[in-house]
Amino acid sequence: DIQMTQSPSTLSASVGDRVTITCRASQSISDWLAWYQQKPGKAPKLLIYKASSLESGVPSRFSGSGSGTEFTLTISSLQPDDFATYYCQQFNTYSRTFGQGTKVEIK
Amino acid sequence: EVQLVESGGGLVKPGGSLRLSCAASGFIFSTYNMNWVRQAPGKGLEWVSSIGSSSSYKSNADSVKGRFTISRDNAKNSLYLQMNSLRAEDTAVYFCAREAASGSPHFDYWGRGTLVTVSS
């Protein structure tokens, strides 16, 4: 099975900061990667799909990049609503594994 | 409006069984692959199971293989998860999620989840 490793696990940042989260796959997944945001008690919300495609309605401060085994999610200027946990997810033929999550906290 | 509503969660003893349901509306259910994802208390997301739009394929995470069975009834716009031989570590909120049909897979809509607690 493909394993997904996110770093860091926790990130402390201030409003206005540029934030980058990394996700590594244990083998190449081309660009079949999505990013989600989750707030406590809520379902995850899709941010990015196909590694770099922004979901409709998601603010443009969110961006994704990468292919193969290394991917990044960047928030260009952190806003108060962005403090949450972020997950990457890979899609290969028969599995859809998530990374362990990155919690973005207020510094 | 796309809606996914899970039901069937509750308290069950170790070794017991439970059947979760997900009622879909607002889209043509029979044309989408569907999934179950769970989240143990205070933990991250874990993909559990996937099923093709016509049930042509099914796939499970290793952690539930041989114990959980995913199925669907396209006539009833419903997704199911039959969970047998339940263990304490299966305690989680279970979400159903629609897999986008755009050719690049991703989960574009999620339900609110149903809580399953496995405890004696």
Side-chain angles (χ1 to χ4, degrees), chain B residues 33-51:
Chain B
N33 299 340
M34 296 295 295
N35 297 266
W36 288 99
V37 175
R38 70 183 180 183
Q39 187 168 37
K43 302 297 184 182
L45 301 173
E46 180 186 14
W47 168 75
V48 173
S49 194
S50 295
I51 187 167

Side-chain angles (χ1 to χ4, degrees), chain A:
Chain A
D1 281 3
I2 298 176
Q3 308 301 318
M4 305 301 291
T5 304
Q6 281 182 239
S7 61
S9 296
T10 306
L11 188 159
S12 296
S14 302
V15 172
D17 284 353
R18 181 181 181 87
V19 165
T20 298
I21 299 168
T22 298
C23 181
R24 289 188 174 87
S26 59
Q27 64 188 71
S28 178
I29 56 171
S30 184
D31 59 358
W32 286 28
L33 184 107
W35 290 97
Y36 303 87
Q37 176 194 68
Q38 188 182 32
K39 296 183 179 179
K42 301 291 188 182
K45 173 189 173 184
L46 176 68
L47 300 174
I48 302 283
Y49 63 95
K50 205 181 180 187
S52 60
S53 295
L54 190 68
E55 173 70 348
S56 176
V58 173
S60 59
R61 62 180 180 273
F62 291 92
S63 64
S65 65
S67 67
T69 61
E70 188 144 341
F71 303 86
T72 59
L73 172 71
T74 299
I75 308 172
S76 60
S77 177
L78 198 65
Q79 298 302 300
D81 190 49
D82 302 338
F83 291 97
T85 302
Y86 295 83
Y87 296 91
C88 62
Q89 182 190 25
Q90 67 83 22
F91 293 80
N92 82 342
T93 306
Y94 293 116
S95 73
R96 277 92 173 93
T97 325
F98 290 92
Q100 81 276 19
T102 296
K103 185 175 183 179
V104 177
E105 298 180 327
I106 299 172
K107 191 172 185 179

